[in-house]
Amino acid sequence: MIFAEFGITPIINAYGTNTRLSAGPLADEVAEAMRAAATASVDILDLQAAACREIQRATGAEAGFVTSGASAALLLAAAACLARLDAGAMNRLPVTREGRCEFLISRSQRNMYDRAIETAGGRLVDVGIPDRVSGAGVRDASAAEFADAITPRTAGILHVAQPRAEPPLREIIAVARAAGIPVIVDAAAQLPPAENLRRFIAEGADLVAFSGGKAIGGPQASGLLAGQGVLVASALAQMLDLDLPASQFRAPAEFSALSQLAFFPRTGIGRSCKVGREEVMGLLVALRRFTAEDAATRRARWQARLDAVRVASGLEFEAGMAGEVPLLWLRVPDAPAMEARLRAGCPAVHVNPARLAEGILTINPVSLHDRDCARLGELLRAALAE
Ligand SMILES: *Cc1c(COP(=O)(O)O)cnc(C)c1O
């Protein structure tokens, strides 16, 4: 094992797709796609044009490309809304000249990833008061409050997708359409259900960001941005290495809007979001696998891992669900102490702490390697006996 050569002991990841824990193992086919991609050179623009065709098929969007993650996709999406096809504006980001740099977001949707918008030069403006979150009242932000918050400085709206997100995306889109401003959807972790690949686009979102390293099963540092052709082309122009004479550049049909640039922009704000051919190919193969697998097969695959943990442990679990993901819940006398013992072990075991305060350890199968399941069961039993 390569990690041992460098003095690193792999962990058992029963927590989930967390970046901090390097998410889950890649399917052999995905790892092989990355290895094979590494053995040849390609024109990156041609590669992203191929990615565009694949993402069009998977999402129904006009265009798309592979990014280095959902956070990168959000940064690039904001840059696209700020600069559109204005090469001068691209060159100035994160500074905006005309003051049209604000992105509205429901205060209840503020989260640690939204600073990607500000990194590009956007400024977040909170809308509404999420009374229902504090228990002080029953309301969240309304679409009418968004309509009221739009000013000439508004560059877009950021909507963080969730099954119960308020206001509903459809209402936000109606308000944004009426005002002529774009809507970016952060759908990083909204897969499965696989239908969500198409859903936000179908509802009228202008740009949608997905993580590649979560349930799609792509490389950890991959994601995708899908949406309206002009905005996607703008985002791509701000990420690509464009260090070539303008006369040598030709816009591929998938990103034809690039031919509208008045002049050739410099390497852009998104250059730090660089994505390599290995990640692009890994993500595309993972996306094909994800869209080809039906929900029942995916669930059975995850359930089989949980069954292997349960059988090897000989313990009694409760069966839980998080969306379409089956879980095991283990009620123990001192959950925080047991969680710490597992983490301090060798190999370290990371379980999901979502219900720790209730005395419950959660086993999430998404990032769990098949070969670790029986070992995990034994380690759980041993930690409980201690
Ligand atoms: C995970 C996540 C992100 C970041 O995704 P990466 O692909 O790791 O960059 C952004 N937004 C939300 C809501 C997420 O859950």
Side-chain angles (χ1 to χ4, degrees), residues 14-95:
Y15 191 142
T17 56
N18 312 48
T19 300
R20 185 168 64 79
L21 302 178
S22 68
L26 296 179
D28 290 345
E29 204 187 335
V30 176
E32 174 52 31
M34 294 183 76
R35 197 202 60 78
T39 64
S41 302
V42 291
D43 184 313
I44 289 288
L45 186 56
D46 291 341
L47 182 61
Q48 289 287 16
C52 180
R53 298 191 292 273
E54 208 59 37
I55 293 168
Q56 285 167 334
R57 269 195 288 279
T59 66
E62 268 174 38
F65 63 91
V66 177
T67 67
S68 56
S71 176
L74 292 172
L75 187 159
L76 294 162
C81 295
L82 290 167
R84 303 211 167 232
L85 292 175
D86 179 340
M90 288 180 185
N91 283 347
R92 282 186 293 275
L93 288 182
V95 174

Side-chain angles (χ1 to χ4, degrees), residues 27-273:
D28 290 345
E29 204 187 335
V30 176
E32 174 52 31
M34 294 183 76
R35 197 202 60 78
T39 64
S41 302
V42 291
D43 184 313
I44 289 288
L45 186 56
D46 291 341
L47 182 61
Q48 289 287 16
C52 180
R53 298 191 292 273
E54 208 59 37
I55 293 168
Q56 285 167 334
R57 269 195 288 279
T59 66
E62 268 174 38
F65 63 91
V66 177
T67 67
S68 56
S71 176
L74 292 172
L75 187 159
L76 294 162
C81 295
L82 290 167
R84 303 211 167 232
L85 292 175
D86 179 340
M90 288 180 185
N91 283 347
R92 282 186 293 275
L93 288 182
V95 174
T96 48
R97 194 153 68 183
E98 67 287 353
R100 196 186 54 83
C101 69
E102 293 179 354
F103 288 83
L104 307 181
I105 177 171
S106 172
R107 185 169 280 148
S108 64
Q109 295 179 13
R110 291 301 309 265
N111 67 89
M112 61 186 174
Y113 297 107
D114 61 27
R115 66 179 323 185
I117 304 292
E118 299 193 305
T119 309
R123 208 170 72 74
L124 290 165
V125 174
D126 293 357
V127 178
I129 297 180
D131 279 325
R132 69 185 169 111
V133 178
S134 66
V138 295
R139 290 196 290 156
D140 200 329
S142 68
E145 284 173 299
F146 272 79
D148 175 63
I150 293 172
T151 72
R153 292 187 304 281
T154 308
I157 296 177
L158 174 62
H159 177 85
V160 183
Q162 275 279 326
R164 284 176 302 280
E166 283 182 43
L169 180 59
R170 280 179 195 285
E171 291 180 21
I172 285 291
I173 283 168
V175 165
R177 285 268 164 86
I181 58 169
V183 175
I184 300 170
V185 175
D186 177 354
Q190 296 307 300
L191 302 171
E195 297 75 47
N196 279 357
L197 275 171
R198 309 188 85 87
R199 177 171 148 218
F200 310 114
I201 296 287
E203 288 185 1
D206 297 278
L207 288 166
V208 184
F210 292 101
S211 276
K214 293 180 180 167
I216 293 178
Q220 173 58 192
S222 71
L224 60 92
L225 180 65
Q228 212 199 86
V230 165
L231 290 171
V232 167
S234 169
L236 182 69
Q238 297 184 77
M239 178 183 83
L240 285 187
D241 172 2
L242 294 176
D243 188 21
L244 76 168
S247 59
Q248 284 182 24
F249 181 83
R250 26 156 215 92
E254 290 78 3
F255 308 117
S256 59
L258 292 177
S259 57
Q260 293 171 43
L261 289 165
F263 61 91
F264 204 55
R266 304 252 159 211
T267 295
I269 182 95
R271 176 62 168 88
S272 314
C273 301

